[in-house]
Each structure stands twice: as C-alpha cells, then as structure tokens.
Amino acid sequence: MTEAAPRSIVVHDRTPISLEPSVEEYARGWRSVTILIALVLINVLSQIDRIIPFILAESIKSDLELSDTEIGLLTGLAFAVCYSLLSLPLARASDRGSPRFVLISCILIWSAMTALGGFAASFLLLALTRFGVAFGEAGAVPAGHALIARKIRPQRRGLAIGLFAMGIPLGTMVGFAAGGAIGETFGWRAVMVGAGAMGGLIALLTLLAAGPTLKLRRTSASSEPFLRSSGRLLASPAFGWLFIGAIFLGFAAAPFYAFSAPFLIRTHGFSTSQVGLAFGLLQGLMGVVGTLLGGRGFDRAVRSGTGRVLGPPAILFLIASATTSAALFVPIGWMSIALMVPGMLSFSFLLPWAFGAAHLVAGDGKQAQATSLVMIGSGLLGPALGPVIVGAVSDAVTAAQEPNGLGFGLLVVPMASLLTGITMLIANGRVAALLRRR
C-alpha cells in the first residue's frame, strides 16, 4: 500500500496535531479475524479473573470470616484504585509503542496474581492479590483499542470494539456458570488457581495473532506530556460530559455485579450453582447481544453524519433504572432476575458507543488514552465506593431486622443508572456539536 501524505487532525476540540499514518496496512481476511478472536479471548479471561470473587463471595466470606463491608472493599477498592490509576500510563505506552507487548505483559501479570489469590489465607493477602490482578488488567482494554486502531479499518472499528467488548459478557457468563459449579465441587481456591493458569495460553495466542505493530510517527506537537494532554481532553465539553457519565456508570455496574448473586441467594433462596447458571447465562446473552448491536449501531450512527452517537444507550439506561428498582423488591425469584435483564443489556450496549465516541473526540493516535480516561471515570470512584456503600447499607439495614437489607443497599444501582442516562443524553448533544464543527 502506498504511504499517504501527512494529514492534519483536530484533537479535543481545537488543537491541531500533524499525524503521519502508519506504514503498515490494516489487517485483512484471516489475519483480522484472528486478531479479533485473540482480543475476545483476552477480554473473556480478563473478566473471568475480575468477577471470580463476585460469584464466590459467599464461600470466601465464610472461609475467611469476612463481613459484607470487607467483601465490598475486596471487590471494589482493592481492585478499582490500582486498575484505574495505572491504565493511563499503560495507555500511553500502547499509543506510543507496541500494543501487543503491553497486552502480553498484562495478561501474564494478572493471571499469575489470580492464581496466587487461591492461596490467600486472610483478607489482607487476598486484597493484595486483587491489587496485582488490577495492575495487570489496567492495560488490557487501552492496549486492545490501540491495536484495533492500528489493525482494523476505520469503517469497521465500532464493530471491532463491540466484538472486543463481547469478551466481557462472555467472561461473565463463563465466570458465573463455571465458577459457581466448580466452586461448589472443588472450592473457591481451585477456581482461582485454574483461572490464572489459562493466562499463559492466551498470551501465546496473542503473540502469534497480533503480529508486530509499528510505532506511529508524530511531530513534536503530538509529544505533549500525557497528564497535560489528558487534562486538555477532559476540559472538552464533549469529553467532559462523557467522563461524568462514565463515573455514574461505575456506580451502577460495580455494585450490580458484586452483589446481585448474593442478593438472589439470600433473598430468593437460590443456590450458588443456580445463580451462576441463570444469572450468568442471561448476563452473557445480553452482553453478546448488547455489544454486537452497540457496535453495529455506533458504526451506522457515525456513517449517518449527525454526530449523535450516544442517544440510544442513554435511553436504555433510563429504562433499566426503572426495571432494576422493581427487581429488588418483587417477591418472586425468577421475576427478579427477569427485571434485571435491561440493566444487564444497558451495561454492554453502552461500551462500543462510549469508547467509540471517546475515540472520535480524542482523534487518531490518542485512542488508548481516551479509552483509559473513560475507564478511570467508570472504574475508580464507582467500583471503589459503590460496593462499599451497598455493603454498609446492607449491614445497617439487616442489623435493624429488615430481611431485605441487601435489596435496600442495591438501590444505588438504579439511581446511578438514571444519572448515567441523563448525562449521556447531554454528552450526545455535545459530541454532535463538536463533530459538526470539524
């Protein structure tokens, strides 16, 4: 392919940056398919290792004699702080260097720490391993998006991001279903060791599938320090509202995943394997449907030229807020699970739209950085504080002799979903106005 002439793009509203295209061609045919398969498997493994403590929470709580507040700290703060804060420098390394190298390194780190978690004998030791898992997983999504930007044609990137994101619901499905069943048979420690052992195989596949990725050649104008560059991007009204929406998303999603299984077990009498099968399969199905429809929908929205690339997921979050509220107080178990379905769908459906919109606002050569900032928004405050708030409310209400204490604590989820929908609607208009000015 003949190398094109250097071109000028606009990054975070008005700052021009000259960016010379990469000399390597976009992957085509079997190579692009293999890359996407590897990316899906990476996200599947990442999500399995991330959500294992959720489905095994009751077993871990009993074995290590933990409270709900400690479970909230374990699934929230211990993971979220390291995951969010390390994503930005790892994103910078992916944008400026080799996304493949970052991906492989991250896989090996988080897999090793997951396996070590199976040997933890106390809350502190298990929390330290979760910090290690977060350290490794912090670079996976930014590096994956940088690899997509280098290897996948722009007209198909929304679908590619959706396929990559599909690994999250697939990992959730496998993690809940297999984790619950294996955990009941062999114990929670065996589940964590086994999940960690899979990392070596996925790392090898990534090494073979991705191929070398050449560095993007930039002028000095694009070498701005990443903290200053991130600040400029966050100052953009379009990205700023998207970032606020991501914060509310974290307060909706993290408690939902951390406490939905314990809620169904305690309130409706399901077994761990029943919750793992029913909740995990539904979450996986809605996640696959959501990410694929979201990716295709985002590509269509971009081709339409209107710039309105966040409206549909915003509306779905408003619907999910109402149904999730009802799910926490209906007396029938299967009805509670059914009412959680729109919430499951909303989390996955938003991913291609949110990341795709962030990439459009940031511009070429900044995709991993934009992804990292969205991840910081959704992955820091919400996961760090949301499960802790739910656990504290649950402990307090239960102490007051209310049988559905966890249901009251989980009201954080629909309230945050409502705020997510509202802020995404505002961001939708801001992004459209920005893209029209370009």
Side-chain angles (χ1 to χ4, degrees):
M1 184 173 71
T2 303
E3 186 173 343
R7 56 195 173 93
S8 178
I9 59 174
V10 177
V11 179
H12 31 257
D13 280 347
R14 300 180 181 278
T15 303
I17 287 180
S18 296
L19 180 66
E20 194 171 346
S22 170
V23 298
E24 64 179 335
E25 296 183 2
Y26 292 126
R28 299 179 183 274
W30 68 270
R31 172 65 71 179
S32 64
V33 172
T34 305
I35 290 172
L36 290 174
I37 290 173
L39 287 172
V40 171
L41 291 177
I42 289 169
N43 235 359
V44 168
L45 178 65
S46 172
Q47 188 67 7
I48 289 173
D49 291 354
R50 186 180 311 175
I51 60 95
I52 279 175
F54 300 167
I55 188 61
L56 301 175
E58 293 295 283
S59 299
I60 295 173
K61 177 182 178 182
S62 175
D63 189 13
L64 300 183
E65 299 181 350
L66 308 180
S67 68
D68 276 345
T69 302
E70 287 175 317
I71 289 292
L73 287 168
L74 186 66
T75 57
L77 184 62
F79 191 94
V81 172
C82 197
Y83 181 82
S84 299
L85 295 183
L86 283 173
S87 66
L88 196 54
L90 290 172
R92 182 72 161 184
S94 299
D95 276 332
R96 304 185 70 176
S98 170
R100 181 180 67 161
F101 177 78
V102 174
L103 271 175
I104 294 171
S105 301
C106 288
I107 293 168
L108 294 176
I109 291 171
W110 90 60
S111 297
M113 297 307 293
T114 298
L116 287 174
F119 298 97
S122 68
F123 167 78
L124 178 60
L125 292 176
L126 186 56
L128 289 174
T129 66
R130 297 313 292 173
F131 274 111
V133 173
F135 179 92
E137 293 194 0
V141 176
H145 286 179
L147 190 64
I148 288 172
R150 307 276 186 94
K151 298 289 188 177
I152 305 299
R153 290 177 295 163
Q155 297 86 350
R156 294 290 182 267
R157 284 183 191 165
L159 180 59
I161 292 172
L163 288 170
F164 182 37
M166 188 174 68
I168 296 176
L170 288 177
T172 301
M173 179 173 62
V174 174
F176 270 89
I182 296 172
E184 280 194 344
T185 304
F186 299 102
W188 66 272
R189 298 180 184 276
V191 177
M192 299 188 77
V193 172
M198 292 190 294
L201 295 176
I202 303 298
L204 178 61
L205 176 61
T206 305
L207 176 67
L208 298 175
T213 51
L214 302 182
K215 294 182 179 181
L216 295 173
R217 297 200 299 272
R218 297 174 173 83
T219 67
S220 59
S222 65
S223 300
E224 185 178 27
F226 75 91
L227 289 178
R228 185 184 304 169
S229 177
S230 299
R232 289 171 58 83
L233 184 55
L234 289 169
S236 160
F239 200 95
W241 278 105
L242 178 59
F243 183 78
I244 293 171
I247 292 174
F248 289 130
L249 169 64
F251 276 97
F256 182 84
Y257 288 121
F259 282 108
S260 289
F263 166 77
L264 292 170
I265 291 170
R266 296 182 202 176
T267 304
H268 295 291
F270 290 105
S271 68
T272 302
S273 59
Q274 287 173 328
V275 171
L277 183 62
F279 187 84
L281 287 176
L282 273 175
Q283 173 62 37
L285 177 61
M286 290 301 101
V288 170
V289 171
T291 51
L292 291 179
L293 290 180
R296 293 293 298 273
F298 176 79
D299 283 336
R300 285 196 297 269
V302 170
R303 289 195 296 268
S304 72
T306 64
R308 296 190 175 275
V309 292
L310 289 169
I315 294 172
L316 182 56
F317 265 91
L318 298 180
I319 296 171
S321 175
T323 60
T324 305
S325 297
L328 300 176
F329 298 99
V330 294
I332 303 173
W334 67 263
M335 187 178 296
S336 179
I337 294 177
L339 287 168
M340 291 180 181
V341 168
M344 301 176 188
L345 182 62
S346 67
F347 298 140
S348 60
F349 186 70
L350 175 63
L351 294 177
W353 300 82
F355 286 127
H359 295 173
L360 288 176
V361 174
D364 288 345
K366 300 280 187 177
Q367 289 93 342
Q369 182 180 12
T371 293
S372 174
L373 290 172
V374 172
M375 289 172 55
I376 289 173
S378 64
L380 184 56
L381 292 179
L385 300 178
V388 177
I389 294 171
V390 172
V393 172
S394 173
D395 288 340
V397 175
T398 301
Q401 307 303 314
E402 166 59 48
N404 190 21
L406 191 50
F408 281 94
L410 279 168
L411 282 173
V412 169
V413 174
M415 289 189 293
S417 294
L418 176 63
L419 293 172
T420 301
I422 293 172
T423 51
M424 287 298 173
L425 283 175
I426 298 173
N428 184 49
R430 299 284 187 168
V431 172
L434 171 62
L435 296 181
R436 283 195 299 268
R437 291 199 302 270
R438 288 183 176 176

